[in-house]
Amino acid sequence: MAVTVMLSGFSQAHLQHVNLLQAAAWWPWLALACQRGSGLGAGAVVGLQMLAGFPQMAYLSGAGAAVVAMAAHRRRAARILAVAALLGLLIGAAQWLPTWHLSSTSVRSDGLSPESIWRWGYTWRDLSTFISPFPFGDPSVGTYARKESLFWENAGYVGMLVLILAVAGAVARRRGRPGGRPYEVGWMGLVVVGVGIALSGETALTRGIAMIIPGFKSFQAPQRAIWLAIFGLACLAGAGLDAVRDHVRKGLWKALAAAAIVAVSLDLFTT
């Protein structure tokens, strides 16, 4: 799972955006804290994520945290999220208070316009980047021809193997703890929410809904929410891998593992 996230198109394409990745790196810990029902743990992570200095990733992580908490602890989710938000705001105050003050005197004081928010487009066609890293060309060799979007903002590559295993994980829906809701529900929710936010500029209806969500107008490039989808796919792929391992013989499992290594190697060096 960690390798999938680390080597995803999003992580690799944003290597030059250090504070974005520093903030994004805290997200798995936030998801874990919410999954385990620890509001204090989630709050500590939220505060540290704010201190990384990329407010949009903290904002998107909040949406993801809500999905995970509601899937794992439906009745306690509101309390977990409230504790996390309060503690996170206290810990991260040294970062977000000056940021809020400065933004109130900038062009973001009343929120960005729809044209600015969705300036760099993300369409249904961009979902193909989950399968292939360069469906519209490679900017490193000058073949990326889409003038209405930025390559690094839309990169969501995880590869076919991960997608196949993610489907297997979604079907398996193994329970994470006795009597609990399947954690896979939360991971599937992350995929839906991440892709939904990324595609929010596709129709007038989704734009209208997005514009009334508190805080949404403060940021450009909502397609950065594909980070949540990538994490959800990685978790589902892990569940899928466990399901495959539990249903095959030991010798066959080793053969499948070797075949997977070969497939990933070919995928890396031929695309």
Side-chain angles (χ1 to χ4, degrees):
M1 184 188 79
V3 173
T4 297
V5 175
M6 180 179 67
L7 297 180
S8 68
F10 183 96
S11 298
Q12 296 302 305
H14 281 287
L15 283 176
Q16 73 273 29
H17 301 141
V18 179
N19 57 338
L20 183 153
L21 292 182
Q22 287 175 333
W26 287 106
W27 158 246
W29 295 102
L30 177 57
L32 178 63
C34 290
Q35 185 170 285
R36 293 188 173 182
S38 175
L40 293 176
V45 176
V46 169
L48 292 170
Q49 190 177 46
M50 287 182 177
L51 292 174
F54 203 93
Q56 186 177 25
M57 293 309 295
Y59 179 82
L60 294 173
S61 294
V67 172
V68 174
M70 286 189 290
H73 310 278
R74 183 164 60 177
R75 295 181 179 179
R76 297 173 49 223
R79 183 173 62 185
I80 293 168
L81 294 171
V83 171
L86 179 59
L87 181 58
L89 288 171
L90 290 173
I91 294 175
Q95 176 66 45
W96 71 261
L97 278 173
T99 301
W100 174 77
H101 173 70
L102 290 173
S103 64
S104 66
T105 61
S106 71
V107 294
R108 297 174 187 258
S109 58
D110 295 322
L112 299 172
S113 66
E115 292 75 17
S116 182
I117 294 172
W118 289 284
R119 179 182 179 185
W120 306 112
Y122 189 93
T123 69
W124 289 99
R125 292 193 303 156
D126 289 293
L127 295 179
S128 61
T129 62
F130 282 96
I131 301 172
S132 171
F134 307 118
F136 309 110
D138 184 350
S140 66
V141 294
T143 58
Y144 190 74
R146 294 185 64 188
K147 297 181 179 179
E148 76 282 4
S149 65
L150 296 175
F151 173 83
W152 55 85
E153 296 292 7
N154 296 6
Y157 177 71
V158 294
M160 279 300 300
L161 181 61
V162 170
L163 293 174
I164 292 171
L165 288 174
V167 172
V171 172
R173 289 188 56 175
R174 303 174 64 205
R175 290 189 177 274
R177 56 186 172 84
R181 291 170 61 82
Y183 289 149
E184 285 80 356
V185 172
W187 300 336
M188 287 187 282
L190 289 176
V191 176
V192 172
V193 169
V195 172
I197 295 174
L199 292 171
S200 57
E202 277 292 84
T203 67
L205 176 61
T206 53
R207 285 191 177 211
I209 294 174
M211 292 296 285
I212 63 175
I213 298 175
F216 190 91
K217 294 190 295 182
S218 299
F219 308 106
Q220 290 182 309
Q223 59 264 46
R224 289 171 183 160
I226 59 175
W227 171 252
L228 299 177
I230 290 171
F231 182 83
L233 288 171
C235 291
L236 287 171
L241 190 62
D242 285 343
V244 172
R245 183 184 58 190
D246 292 344
H247 288 83
V248 299
R249 293 176 298 178
K250 188 174 182 180
L252 181 57
W253 167 247
K254 291 181 178 179
L256 288 173
I261 292 173
V262 172
V264 170
S265 300
L266 291 173
D267 193 22
L268 286 173
F269 294 107
T270 59
T271 55

